[in-house]
Structure formats: C-alpha cells, structure tokens
Amino acid sequence: VWATFWSVLHKWLMRVTTATATSSILSGAPRWMGAAAGFLARHMCFPTVPHSMMVSAMSLLLVFRTNSAYQRFAEGRKIWNDIVDTTRDFSRMIKLYEFAIGTSKCRRINSLLASFPYLLRHRIRPSLMSGMISVNDLNVERDRENSLLLYPDESLRDTDLEVAARAYDEEGTGASRRKTRDLCWVDKRTLPWKLIPGSALELCARAQNRPLWVCDRMAKELAVVDDLAPKFTNRERMTLIAYVDKLSRSIGACERIHQTVVPLNYARHALRSLTVWLWTLPFVLVKDLGLLTGPVVAVLSWILFGVYEIGSRIEDPFQGTLRLSIYCDAIRRDVLADSIARDTAFDLEEEKKPSADDDGDEDAIFEKDSDSEEYDGDGISAKKKRPTPKKGDFFESLGVLKM
C-alpha cells in the first residue's frame, strides 16, 4: 500500500511538472506550484547504491537465521529417528532375553517403552496440555472411576522471566518456591495412560518429569533381574540398561532445542533491518518502475518476510513442524501392536526338532559299526565276546596240578 501510494504520488507530481511547464492554463496551477512539484519529484527518489550495499548485509542476516533454524529442525528430526531406532533395538533385546527376565516383566517393560514417546511429546509440546481438563472446570463432568488426576508436565524455557526471577530469589534466600499449577484430570483409557501398567500409572502421574520416570522404572526392572549364567550375566544386563540411557539422553536433547531459542536480540535486529530496507525500497524503484513499484515491492515483501517467518516456525520443530504423533504411533505399533507377528521371528524350527544332518551322521555311525564288527545270533559282537573262564583254568595257567 505504501509503495503504491508513493508511485501514484510520484506519477502525479511528474504530470503536474510537465503540465505546468507547457501551459499554466491547462494545469490550472501557478508556475511556482509546478516548480515545487518538479523539485519534489526529483528529490523523492533515492540512489540505488545504498540499497545495493545493504543487500549483502540483509542476505547474511536472513541466511544465518534460516540456516540456524534448519539445523535445529534437522537435529530434532535426527533425535526422534534415534528414539525410534533405540526402542526397536531395545524391544528386540528384551525378547531375546525373555527366558531370564520373565514374561510378565517383559510385558511391563514393553508397555512402559511404548508410552515413553507420548510422554516425551507432552513435555516438549505445551499445546497438548489443552487436552487436560482442570478440576475446577464446572462445564465438564469428571468420571471419577476412569479419570486420572495430574499436573501439567511442561518443560521450562530460558525466555521465561518469571521462572528466572524465582530461580535467582531461591539462590539468594534459600527458600524453595514453585509456580502454582492447576490440578487437571485426563481419561485413563486414552493414550498414553492406558499403556502404563498397574500401579505405575498413579506414580507416573505424580512425577515432575514423566518420561524420565519411565526410564528410571525400566532401568530398575532390569537391574533386579537375577543372573542365569552363562546366558544372562552382568554383561547382558548392562547392555539392556544402556538402551535406557540412550532414551534418557534423548530427553535432554529435545529439551535443549525446546528450551533454548535463537537469541532474541539477533531476531529483532534482523526483523527491524528487513522492515527498514523494504520500507525505503519504493524510493529507489519509483523512478524506474513507476506504477509497478507497488506490485514489485509487495512480491519482494512476501518473499523476504516469508523466509523470515519460516525460520521462526522451524526453530522449534516440536511445535507442529515435525509430526511427532506419527513417530509415537510407529513406536507403539512396533513394540506392542505387532508383537504377535513379530514374535514369530524368534521361534526357530531348529530348536524344536533335530536337523536332517544330525540324522545322517547317526546313520553313518551305525553303518560304520555294522561293517567293522560281526554279530552273532545274540546280537553281541564276535570280537568283543570272550568265553567265560572255568574255575580250574586259573590254576592250570599258573602250572599248579589239581589234587
């Protein structure tokens, strides 16, 4: 709008100048007005050199902004891809050592493992807290039998001034104060709450960091498994706990992206510089483009502000840029939903019946024995069969005569 107005004004001033110079009667204006219009029309245009020099600085600001945002997006995508891979490997190892861990404990660990990505998504995406209903909300009736009371689990951000002020106050006074949170309730029959087994559901709901609580519980379940030498020892136990450590580190990796934003001073400086450059751009283009200045500036503004907005959107990829629900559903299906079909991969036929090679080897042994030895009618080998010695034969062999 500003560029269009400026181009129309410039066009009108040029017309007034031309008309006044040719005939004051046709223009209907005195000569001094034509001179003033000509002066304004000539000096309302800026040279192109300043804006050309600013283009390099603007490109650096925008490129750094978009590159840093895309790196955060790619890192977030890699973190969740590692979570998917780790959960698949972890569930495979649990199944391999089910004979030592126990079937019931394996089921509990797999249920906790399937709930982990959902709880992590709730922590790094506060917008999902809208599904929690406050206990003070009188418009919704709570089902006391199927409801679960809990507090919202939200990861803090370093841009929260209230939290920073409270932290400084705790350091100075030593008094520990927490921000008051609303008590909410959810339907325990929905995901991920129905995945958490037994009494662990109530304990997990009370935790401040629920995905970390799930990791701690899985590690404890594995730590108390008894040895079954030589197939299950401390080496196998530590290997399984290492997978829990990887999941625990993924929590910190997601919180690092969610809590730390691009420096606010840099973002503001880039936005202000871009606004000033686009605001003064009509002064440069109006001389050459005329009435086309408005559409050209509008297109440039849409492109440049769009690039800036894209960088703002993807700098925290967990707020909708990445479809985390797809990852959570894939993990749940791999660990639980497809477990029956997946368990068939661990049932080897060789463990149930002897192989054909073993039968062939036994037949060869029997044939070798039958060829090398001769059997009589009683089934005893002729080479191994010896006559039973009589009582007097022993003395005859010693040269003693019977009396």
Side-chain angles (χ1 to χ4, degrees), residues 37-62:
F39 178 81
L40 291 176
R42 288 191 302 270
H43 291 82
M44 70 185 299
C45 302
F46 291 169
T48 59
V49 176
H51 271 69
S52 300
M53 296 176 63
M54 290 178 62
V55 166
S56 301
M58 288 299 305
S59 62
L60 289 176
L61 290 174
L62 290 179

Side-chain angles (χ1 to χ4, degrees), residues 64-339:
F64 179 80
R65 169 75 170 172
T66 53
N67 282 350
S68 59
Y70 184 78
Q71 288 176 359
R72 293 162 63 91
F73 170 81
E75 184 180 1
R77 173 67 180 85
K78 185 177 182 301
I79 291 172
W80 275 86
N81 186 67
D82 292 340
I83 292 176
V84 173
D85 295 340
T86 302
T87 52
R88 289 172 178 172
D89 297 341
F90 189 22
S91 63
R92 181 189 304 114
M93 296 294 291
I94 290 295
K95 183 61 182 178
L96 288 175
Y97 294 104
E98 184 179 4
F99 64 90
I101 300 174
T103 303
S104 60
K105 181 170 289 190
C106 285
R107 291 175 179 175
R108 291 199 303 269
I109 295 176
N110 284 331
S111 298
L112 292 172
L113 183 61
S115 66
F116 173 80
Y118 290 95
L119 298 176
L120 178 58
R121 181 171 64 123
H122 286 177
R123 180 168 179 79
I124 61 178
R125 192 172 180 181
S127 60
L128 294 176
M129 298 301 171
S130 58
M132 298 184 179
I133 305 173
S134 176
V135 295
N136 298 324
D137 190 356
L138 301 179
N139 297 325
V140 182
E141 183 178 358
R142 180 168 70 93
D143 185 1
R144 297 183 178 274
E145 181 180 357
N146 297 314
S147 61
L148 176 66
L149 297 177
L150 46 77
Y151 289 102
D153 180 15
E154 181 179 355
S155 178
L156 302 179
R157 308 193 68 171
D158 58 358
T159 56
D160 193 339
L161 300 180
E162 183 181 357
V163 175
R166 188 181 300 109
Y168 282 120
D169 184 65
E170 290 180 358
E171 293 178 4
T173 61
S176 178
R177 296 184 298 109
R178 289 187 177 184
K179 182 179 179 180
T180 304
R181 298 179 297 170
D182 294 333
L183 183 62
C184 302
W185 65 274
V186 294
D187 191 345
K188 64 174 64 175
R189 295 170 296 182
T190 60
L191 290 173
W193 315 110
K194 70 176 184 178
L195 299 176
I196 303 177
S199 61
L201 178 60
E202 298 288 342
L203 300 175
C204 181
R206 300 174 189 172
Q208 179 73 20
N209 190 333
R210 297 189 185 99
L212 183 61
W213 186 93
V214 169
C215 291
D216 295 340
R217 173 55 67 93
M218 289 190 296
K220 182 61 178 179
E221 291 276 7
L222 295 172
V224 297
V225 176
D226 296 331
D227 290 348
L228 191 61
K231 293 184 177 182
F232 190 86
T233 58
N234 264 338
R235 180 182 59 185
E236 286 75 20
R237 184 182 297 106
M238 295 306 298
T239 301
L240 291 173
I241 295 179
Y243 288 103
V244 181
D245 295 339
K246 291 181 180 179
L247 294 176
S248 179
R249 285 194 294 269
S250 67
I251 302 174
C254 291
E255 289 176 345
R256 181 179 67 250
I257 296 178
H258 173 66
Q259 294 177 355
T260 308
V261 298
V262 175
L264 186 59
N265 294 332
Y266 178 85
R268 288 178 176 176
H269 181 69
L271 181 59
R272 291 168 182 170
S273 302
L274 182 59
T275 303
V276 171
W277 189 83
L278 290 172
W279 182 262
T280 57
L281 186 61
F283 293 95
V284 180
L285 301 180
V286 69
K287 181 179 179 181
D288 298 327
L289 299 181
L291 295 177
L292 294 176
T293 303
V296 171
V297 173
V299 172
L300 288 176
S301 301
W302 174 73
I303 293 174
L304 295 179
F305 279 121
V307 172
Y308 182 86
E309 183 65 19
I310 290 173
S312 301
R313 290 290 183 90
I314 67 176
E315 70 178 10
D316 190 353
F318 306 135
Q319 307 310 312
T321 307
L322 286 175
R323 299 299 182 117
L324 300 183
S325 58
I326 298 178
Y327 297 106
C328 297
D329 185 69
I331 292 174
R332 180 179 61 86
R333 290 182 180 276
D334 290 339
V335 175
L336 294 180
D338 298 335
S339 60

